[in-house]
Amino acid sequence: MMTQATPQEGVQFVCYTRCSTCAKARTWLNEHHVSYTERDIKSDNPTAEELESWWRRSGLPLRRFFNTSGQLYRSLSLKNRLPKMNDKEMLDLLATNGMLVKRPIVVSANKVLVGFSPEAWETTFFSTADHIK
């Protein structure tokens, strides 16, 4: 039996309005009564500083922040270019265009989730040991 989440302070939902995965994630958040502020990644692209903070807090490899299925990623041949880039170069590149960034991203005081996985979100939002704040 799932418990209801209490409203979360400072949860930011970074998404692209025309992304079907983001729509599913938004529906999930609403159905699970998670309060959030929505940010359109295309019109309000994260800065390199924000991306670096999110990346370090996420515990994920920086490459996981790239939208590898996007047209821009392919047109820039990033599959071949990324292995030659350092972290700063990758962060600066991500900051140039929100369409390069994997989405959705959920940012809170102590968690950063990249991409939508209902199981991972369930664990993060409802686990008593690791409740998102």
Side-chain angles (χ1 to χ4, degrees), residues 57-112:
R57 290 174 27 219
S58 74
L60 297 170
L62 183 53
R63 294 183 73 166
R64 289 276 309 274
F65 278 78
F66 280 88
N67 178 14
T68 58
S69 61
Q71 293 176 354
L72 187 56
Y73 181 90
R74 290 190 299 273
S75 71
L76 294 174
S77 302
L78 292 180
K79 180 179 180 181
N80 299 323
R81 291 177 50 204
L82 284 183
K84 300 171 188 154
M85 297 174 80
N86 64 37
D87 293 345
K88 182 179 180 342
E89 292 168 329
M90 284 191 270
L91 289 164
D92 288 344
L93 178 60
L94 283 168
T96 65
N97 191 317
M99 300 311 286
L100 287 173
V101 181
K102 184 166 183 72
R103 56 208 178 256
I105 300 175
V106 170
V107 181
S108 74
N110 65 344
K111 284 285 182 189
V112 176

Side-chain angles (χ1 to χ4, degrees), residues 8-68:
Q8 306 301 313
E9 293 296 320
V11 174
Q12 186 175 187
F13 177 60
V14 184
C15 62
Y16 175 50
T17 56
R18 294 178 48 193
C19 168
S20 61
T21 303
C22 293
K24 290 175 190 171
R26 183 183 303 103
T27 297
W28 189 96
L29 288 168
N30 292 333
E31 288 176 351
H32 291 83
H33 308 286
V34 176
S35 298
Y36 60 90
T37 303
E38 189 166 316
R39 177 177 174 179
D40 183 358
I41 200 162
K42 187 167 184 175
S43 64
D44 189 6
N45 191 46
T47 65
E49 293 78 18
E50 285 177 305
L51 289 160
E52 181 174 11
S53 171
W54 298 348
W55 162 53
R56 295 197 184 282
R57 290 174 27 219
S58 74
L60 297 170
L62 183 53
R63 294 183 73 166
R64 289 276 309 274
F65 278 78
F66 280 88
N67 178 14
T68 58

